[in-house]
Amino acid sequence: MKLIIKPEKGFGKIEVEINEELWGELKRLSERYGVPVERLIEIALTGEFREPKGNLEGLEKMVRELEERTWELEKEYAPLRFKAYGLSEDNKILAIELSGLLAENSQLKRFLRVKPERNVELRKLISYYLQG
């Protein structure tokens, strides 16, 4: 593989041949650390290496343990979230039905020439369940 390095200003570019083994290693490092290959090459050429502070293996082990615990909690709470979603949808349906019944009630009161009542609190509650 041919690598071409161009300066930000001026002329003169550098062409370097990189064998497939080195390119594969660069791609693996790029994927592992989430850094573009170009940035890895730039770090290697400029010497911007940072030495890890502390025990890297211990930190990686701790991260794996935390990930496992996170997945355990996810498994535990997924059914609860599903039930909560179902209840939320049921509440929306009931709020729609209640809104329709209130409208029908006010129409009947107008037909009977009875003063319609304004249930502001009930309207707020219906609005709340329709939004959520």
Side-chain angles (χ1 to χ4, degrees):
M1 164 142 223
K2 186 182 278 188
L3 173 68
I4 300 173
I5 302 170
K6 297 178 184 177
E8 290 182 17
K9 292 183 179 180
F11 300 107
K13 59 184 176 183
I14 302 170
E15 294 181 16
V16 180
E17 283 290 326
I18 296 178
N19 63 18
E20 293 299 320
E21 182 181 338
L22 179 59
W23 183 253
E25 186 68 22
L26 285 171
K27 293 219 28 124
R28 188 185 65 77
L29 286 172
S30 170
E31 291 169 1
R32 180 176 178 190
Y33 294 110
V35 178
V37 176
E38 295 81 17
R39 179 71 179 128
L40 280 177
I41 294 171
E42 181 182 328
I43 289 171
L45 291 174
T46 58
E48 294 181 26
F49 301 110
R50 282 193 240 159
E51 292 298 322
K53 299 175 183 173
N55 184 5
L56 191 60
E57 289 82 21
L59 292 174
E60 287 177 346
K61 181 182 176 188
M62 186 185 301
V63 167
R64 281 191 297 273
E65 290 172 0
L66 289 172
E67 284 176 345
E68 289 174 11
R69 180 68 180 136
T70 301
W71 285 114
E72 289 172 12
L73 290 173
E74 179 68 25
K75 289 178 197 174
E76 191 175 317
Y77 290 112
L80 294 174
R81 280 199 330 265
F82 181 74
K83 288 179 185 177
Y85 174 76
L87 290 174
S88 170
E89 292 301 308
D90 290 345
N91 284 341
K92 282 183 184 179
I93 292 169
L94 290 172
I96 291 168
E97 289 180 13
L98 182 58
S99 177
L101 291 173
L102 282 174
E104 185 179 343
N105 191 13
S106 70
Q107 287 294 332
L108 288 173
K109 285 186 177 186
R110 282 192 197 115
F111 178 74
L112 296 173
R113 294 188 177 122
V114 177
K115 182 181 177 188
E117 299 171 10
R118 293 195 46 96
N119 294 327
V120 177
E121 294 174 9
L122 194 55
R123 296 282 179 193
K124 286 181 182 177
L125 191 61
I126 291 170
S127 165
Y128 172 77
Y129 282 112
L130 288 177
Q131 290 175 1

